[in-house]
Amino acid sequence: MDIPRIFNITESAHRIHNPFTPEKFATLGEALRLEPGTRVLDLGSGSGEMLCTWARDYGITGTGVDMSQLFSGQATRRAEELGVADRVEFIHGDAAGYVADEKVGVAACVGATWIGGGFAGTIDLLAQSLAPGGIILIGEPYWRQLPPTEEVAKGCLAHSVADFLLLPQLIRSFGDLGYDVVEMVLANQDGWDRYEAAKWLTMRRWLETNPDDELAGEVRAQLTSEPERYSLYTREYMGWGVFALMAR
């Protein structure tokens, strides 16, 4: 069980696998008023930076689940590095359908809502692990500005303009599902740059040491095209944020 190998290659040096920075995760933790001992479930936890730093800074405990064996291993090592291995654990497994054995105060999926077929299904999944009065965290892309054509939307790696909503529409959709939006922290362009541009050096270094790998051609094609594609499309049209929800 693992994610496609291309992602393990391009994001192998990432600690955060979305457009957030460490400062943004710190802001989010502070905004949520996390109390020591709060249990957090993170589905699609990547390399574990959110859980590990929150355990260090706010005293939470928690569990992360991710399909990438590489990222799950990195998360475990990060917990040891920060001295919080006794407070957080990371499971290499499929987050789709995962329900915690013990109810949690915060149930999160920050950037992998495909596990529930979209944010609505992921909210339903997270709600099954949530204690009464708890908070759901959803990390989701949105359009900063509506792409003028389907070609532009595809340049943002969307299938179509309909794949994402404008920010006011996304917030309204949470209300339509029966949730109050009680907080939000949005990525900025620096965060997008750190997420996307950091892949390019990783790809170049990987190509230098793996010239004969079966994925070398695909990695070379991405390294050649991604800087221009990103600066032309994603950087101009895509937003991303984490939204804190409480059931009405």
Side-chain angles (χ1 to χ4, degrees):
M1 177 186 299
D2 212 327
I3 61 175
R5 184 166 169 248
I6 187 66
F7 297 108
N8 281 328
I9 293 172
T10 61
E11 298 190 25
S12 60
H14 283 50
R15 279 186 175 168
I16 299 172
H17 303 274
N18 58 57
F20 257 21
T21 60
E23 293 76 17
K24 289 288 185 179
F25 270 127
T27 297
L28 179 61
E30 184 177 355
L32 295 175
R33 307 169 197 174
L34 293 171
E35 296 181 357
T38 299
R39 288 189 56 80
V40 180
L41 173 68
D42 187 10
L43 299 185
S45 51
S47 295
E49 193 71 1
M50 184 179 81
L51 282 182
C52 289
T53 55
W54 283 3
R56 177 195 64 191
D57 298 339
Y58 304 110
I60 64 98
T61 64
T63 300
V65 184
D66 199 275
M67 190 180 288
S68 169
Q69 187 169 2
L70 173 65
F71 299 162
S72 298
Q74 290 175 338
T76 298
R77 290 190 293 275
R78 183 62 168 157
E80 294 169 351
E81 177 186 336
L82 296 185
V84 296
D86 60 332
R87 280 178 265 169
V88 293
E89 65 170 339
F90 294 95
I91 298 170
H92 171 229
D94 189 355
Y98 185 92
V99 177
D101 293 333
E102 182 180 345
K103 298 294 185 182
V104 300
V106 177
C109 180
V110 291
T113 56
W114 52 266
I115 66 172
F119 66 81
T122 301
I123 289 171
D124 287 342
L125 171 61
L126 293 171
Q128 296 178 53
S129 297
L130 197 66
I135 291 176
I136 287 175
L137 297 181
I138 289 288
E140 187 71 4
Y142 59 87
W143 294 123
R144 292 179 61 233
Q145 54 179 316
L146 207 62
T149 67
E150 290 294 332
E151 181 181 357
V152 171
K154 290 178 181 178
C156 298
L157 303 183
H159 294 101
S160 73
V161 175
D163 277 7
F164 305 116
L165 301 171
L166 291 166
L167 181 59
Q169 296 171 333
L170 178 59
I171 289 175
R172 185 184 312 121
S173 71
F174 295 137
D176 293 341
L177 293 171
Y179 288 85
D180 288 323
V181 179
V182 297
E183 258 295 357
M184 71 177 186
V185 177
L186 304 181
N188 56 25
Q189 286 192 318
D190 181 62
W192 272 108
D193 291 346
R194 299 286 27 89
Y195 174 53
E196 294 290 348
K199 300 174 187 178
W200 308 337
L201 182 58
T202 299
M203 287 191 281
R204 177 56 190 260
R205 295 297 189 223
W206 184 89
L207 283 168
E208 290 171 352
T209 56
N210 298 275
D212 299 320
D213 191 279
E214 62 180 2
L215 286 184
E218 182 177 351
V219 174
R220 163 41 64 189
Q222 283 200 26
L223 178 57
T224 300
S225 62
E226 276 298 289
E228 181 178 359
R229 183 207 63 77
Y230 165 67
S231 62
L232 183 61
Y233 296 113
T234 300
R235 198 173 194 273
E236 295 302 312
Y237 290 93
M238 294 298 299
W240 195 88
V242 178
F243 304 88
L245 314 176
M246 295 182 71
R248 289 177 179 166

